[in-house]
Amino acid sequence: GAGVSQSPSNKVTEKGKDVELRCDPISGHTALYWYRQRLGQGLEFLIYFQGNSAPDKSGLPSDRFSAERTGESVSTLTIQRTQQEDSAVYLCASSASRGGRNQPQHFGDGTRLSIL
Amino acid sequence: SQQGEEDPQALSIQEGENATMNCSYKTSINNLQWYRQNSGRGLVHLILIRSNEREKHSGRLRVTLDTSKKSSSLLITASRAADTASYFCATDAGWGQGAQKLVFGQGTRLTINP
């Protein structure tokens, strides 16, 4: 079946604009995760969803960042009033958490966001 | 906060040789996972080792876990050019049912020279 799909694959926008990033998880995966990866760095946890609720929003860098998930499926990550330091690759992953904690996460190819 | 630290940051070897990468972490964990990332792509899950396991194999991969030292190693035997990628360890420090919150290391950049 299809893997995790993210769109757009690349996004270039001007500082101050809002952007919306989309993630389509693997069908049936109840858990969904957003990460940020700066150039040459590891992944930084942003937020995760269990179903449609987000128990842990502690990783969101500021109140300019928000995320939602509907129908235990698609999720969107919104960044308002973008700043240059928001430039990074934003990665989404999903997992079948109903099987317990010891499940691998399946990643999309990410959205490369560049703020001019 | 960054839990895992990987060593070395970069590794370059000849095709056919073995590659060893190490990961250290700070807190108690439920499991530790290794992922591979090819340039410009997402991460691919390689192997998961639980906190009560000491060693695990998958094909040419061997992972060890020493919870007393809070460290893990990934060994890739008989390396191939296609193994060229960045390798990340990630720890799950949560407990109980529910989704994970993985904390990733900075990664090891592995280059296999033909």
Side-chain angles (χ1 to χ4, degrees):
Chain A
V4 177
S5 177
Q6 292 188 247
S7 62
S9 54
N10 285 282
K11 177 73 176 178
V12 181
T13 192
E14 294 179 346
K15 177 183 171 180
K17 300 286 188 182
D18 297 352
V19 295
E20 192 171 279
L21 313 179
R22 176 185 170 109
C23 173
D24 284 88
I26 292 173
S27 178
H29 279 190
T30 55
L32 184 147
Y33 313 82
W34 283 99
Y35 297 91
R36 178 169 70 180
Q37 185 177 31
R38 292 202 164 100
L39 187 63
Q41 301 293 311
L43 275 67
E44 175 188 3
F45 170 83
L46 297 179
I47 189 171
Y48 84 85
F49 289 88
Q50 183 65 40
N52 293 330
S53 65
D56 188 348
K57 300 181 181 179
S58 62
L60 293 176
S62 74
D63 59 6
R64 296 186 295 105
F65 288 71
S66 63
E68 66 176 19
R69 188 182 185 194
T70 57
E72 294 201 359
S73 180
V74 173
S75 176
T76 54
L77 176 69
T78 302
I79 308 173
Q80 295 178 309
R81 305 181 302 281
T82 52
Q83 303 293 313
Q84 287 186 334
E85 64 261 27
D86 299 335
S87 295
V89 176
Y90 290 82
L91 290 159
C92 175
S94 69
S95 71
S97 66
R98 285 207 179 112
R101 302 201 67 84
N102 296 305
Q103 298 291 327
Q105 292 188 15
H106 301 266
F107 283 81
D109 284 339
T111 294
R112 184 174 300 275
L113 178 63
S114 300
I115 310 298
L116 302 178
Chain B
S1 62
Q2 208 68 34
Q3 156 101 301
E5 293 185 2
E6 295 175 65
D7 171 57
Q9 291 186 351
L11 178 62
S12 181
I13 62 173
Q14 295 299 120
E15 194 167 18
E17 293 179 341
N18 296 341
T20 300
M21 289 159 272
N22 302 295
C23 169
S24 61
Y25 56 91
K26 298 175 184 175
T27 66
S28 296
I29 60 171
N30 182 56
N31 65 64
L32 185 145
Q33 303 178 33
W34 285 90
Y35 288 82
R36 183 187 75 226
Q37 184 178 36
N38 290 89
S39 182
R41 303 299 300 274
L43 278 70
V44 174
H45 181 263
L46 297 176
I47 201 163
L48 181 152
I49 186 165
R50 304 184 188 199
S51 60
N52 61 354
E53 296 176 314
R54 291 296 166 259
E55 187 170 312
K56 207 161 183 180
H57 297 254
S58 176
R60 293 183 296 112
L61 306 180
R62 172 177 168 251
V63 167
T64 62
L65 179 65
D66 187 335
T67 53
S68 66
K69 295 182 180 177
K70 292 187 169 58
S71 68
S72 174
S73 68
L74 170 66
L75 168 68
I76 303 174
T77 60
S79 63
R80 305 167 182 170
D83 295 330
T84 293
S86 292
Y87 291 81
F88 294 90
C89 69
T91 52
D92 173 20
W95 298 95
Q97 294 299 312
Q100 307 159 341
K101 179 181 174 181
L102 292 181
V103 179
F104 283 81
Q106 298 280 15
T108 293
R109 174 69 190 167
L110 175 65
T111 301
I112 308 300
N113 302 303

